[in-house]
Amino acid sequence: MKPFKFISATNPAQAVAMLTKNADAAFLGGGTNLLDLMKEHVALPNEIIDIGNLSLKDIRATTTGFYLGALAKNTETANHPLIRKNLPMLSKAILAGASAQIRNMATNGGNLLQRTRCSYFYDISMPCNKRVPGSGCAALEGFNRMHAIFGWSEHCVAVYPSDMAVALSALNATVNVQNNKTERAIPFKDFHLLPGNHPEKDNSLTHGELIKGIEIPENNFASHSAYVKVRDRNSYAFALLSVAAGLNLNGNIIKSANIALGGVAHKPWRALQAEEFLKGKAATTANFTKAAETEMAAAKALTYNKFKIEMGKKTLVNALELAFKG
Ligand code: SF4
């Protein structure tokens, strides 16, 4: 591991100032991804700014919904009574991620910032535009079984690995950040980016910005929601594909649906075609199937991940049926 300087911040403004003045510095929250990246020489910060002591750990109800502090741990968030009762989809998504030990360390803000698990990204002997812009994409013609079927570009076909973020996308969350001039709120759909010509950029944060918390509006589908994750083994594995689904129902008529997919794109993929199709329809398996087919029609598979298209249809139907049953 490359040597680095270690300093601690005592408040958000100080943390932001410390990061802003050093382009090669990095924040340390739970460290569950950063340390892996440093050990593999993928991330090479010369200064680590420990933000673990900042008071950004609250989980609470607000007048419009719920607030998650950026430094609250994933385990604490998933098991919080407020979250379990009002946002069960989020609780399930968090608990589907990683292992208990990692969830005990990982923070909510860090979860949003974790980097792709594309194996070529972690192998510094291979070309990777995300790690070294302009070097090429080894996965495009390589073993791309885990990779994207939506929104990819010839420069990067990686998927974003978080489970929590898939639920936050379906829940229309907002990410609150602070920089050295102001604070701003980023709608979740604009937080993570598609790769385009710049896969090195995962999200819309600029260097020096600190995530302070996540706001989640109230919803009317808590009792009809689901998170379904398909993976190679039942623990400590990233999603081949996942679905977060919430149904706002009037009897068995769907007033609106909130659906997001994981493991299919460089960001949580909001299933807007399926949502639109389901509006005003009866909650039947036939309509769920049609919605899933409508959504997956635009998928573009790579050499080794064609199976994800059929898997996507089936997982979507499964999640919608589970959400309907409640
Ligand atoms: Fe790198 Fe993206 Fe290609 Fe993976 S898919 S090798 S992360 S550029």
Side-chain angles (χ1 to χ4, degrees):
M1 196 185 275
K2 182 184 153 187
F4 56 88
K5 188 175 160 197
F6 187 88
I7 53 176
S8 292
T10 52
N11 62 67
Q14 186 194 37
V16 166
M18 287 169 162
L19 191 68
T20 303
K21 73 178 181 200
N22 182 356
D24 294 319
F27 284 144
L28 175 71
T32 54
N33 190 204
L34 179 64
L35 295 188
D36 283 347
L37 293 165
M38 289 172 71
K39 284 188 267 187
E40 299 294 337
H41 289 244
V42 175
L44 300 166
N46 62 17
E47 187 172 63
I48 295 291
I49 304 162
D50 177 20
I51 55 172
N53 292 322
L54 304 188
S55 308
L56 300 173
K57 297 174 183 162
D58 47 337
I59 298 169
R60 56 184 157 81
T62 66
T63 51
T64 55
F66 310 94
Y67 181 86
L68 310 178
L71 292 171
K73 302 289 190 187
N74 281 181
T75 296
E76 201 186 332
T77 306
N79 294 327
H80 196 289
L82 198 62
I83 305 305
R84 288 171 67 112
K85 177 167 181 256
N86 298 287
L87 304 168
M89 171 205 288
L90 178 63
S91 179
K92 283 179 196 152
I94 295 172
L95 294 174
S99 63
Q101 291 87 343
I102 289 175
R103 293 192 297 269
N104 288 343
M105 285 301 295
T107 63
N108 292 332
N111 194 313
L112 304 191
L113 299 180
Q114 60 180 303
R115 307 209 69 190
T116 183
R117 262 58 180 195
C118 171
S119 56
Y120 301 107
F121 175 65
Y122 282 77
D123 182 348
I124 60 171
S125 70
M126 299 301 288
C128 171
N129 288 324
K130 187 178 279 298
R131 180 170 25 78
V132 182
S135 62
C137 171
L140 188 61
E141 301 296 332
F143 189 52
N144 44 38
R145 174 176 177 267
M146 296 291 289
H147 290 68
I149 53 172
F150 287 112
W152 52 269
S153 76
E154 60 180 333
H155 302 291
C156 181
V157 293
V159 296
Y160 174 67
S162 167
D163 290 290
M164 179 184 188
V166 178
L168 290 173
S169 171
L171 289 163
N172 292 327
T174 301
V175 185
N176 292 347
V177 308
Q178 179 175 345
N179 58 40
N180 59 353
K181 293 195 183 78
T182 185
E183 298 197 13
R184 66 186 181 119
I186 308 172
F188 213 77
K189 67 182 176 51
D190 300 325
F191 185 78
H192 296 99
L193 304 174
L194 290 177
N197 294 328
H198 290 285
E200 71 278 9
K201 224 172 146 25
D202 294 340
N203 56 61
S204 55
L205 290 185
T206 55
H207 184 76
E209 286 191 305
L210 170 73
I211 298 178
K212 292 183 79 177
I214 301 160
E215 284 190 52
I216 304 167
E218 274 187 54
N219 66 72
N220 34 28
F221 53 74
S223 55
H224 289 286
S225 63
Y227 184 76
V228 178
K229 177 176 180 178
V230 183
R231 48 190 155 173
D232 284 325
R233 57 173 187 264
N234 212 21
S235 173
Y236 200 18
F238 295 98
L240 282 166
L241 201 139
S242 67
V243 179
L247 295 174
N248 177 15
L249 296 164
N250 180 9
N252 79 330
I253 299 299
I254 301 165
K255 285 159 72 178
S256 61
N258 287 41
I259 309 168
L261 310 182
V264 296
H266 202 258
K267 61 188 287 187
W269 189 259
R270 194 67 186 257
L272 299 175
Q273 309 299 321
E275 290 181 6
E276 188 56 36
F277 175 84
L278 288 171
K279 214 176 280 176
K281 302 267 188 350
T284 62
T285 300
N287 280 332
F288 294 157
T289 304
K290 185 72 186 153
E293 286 169 355
T294 304
E295 186 63 40
M296 299 309 288
K300 220 169 123 199
L302 301 161
T303 309
Y304 294 103
N305 68 1
K306 292 185 177 66
F307 69 95
K308 281 196 180 187
I309 296 179
E310 196 55 30
M311 180 182 278
K313 289 179 197 167
K314 291 199 157 70
T315 312
L316 248 165
V317 173
N318 182 220
L320 289 166
E321 284 181 333
L322 288 171
F324 179 57
K325 279 183 202 149

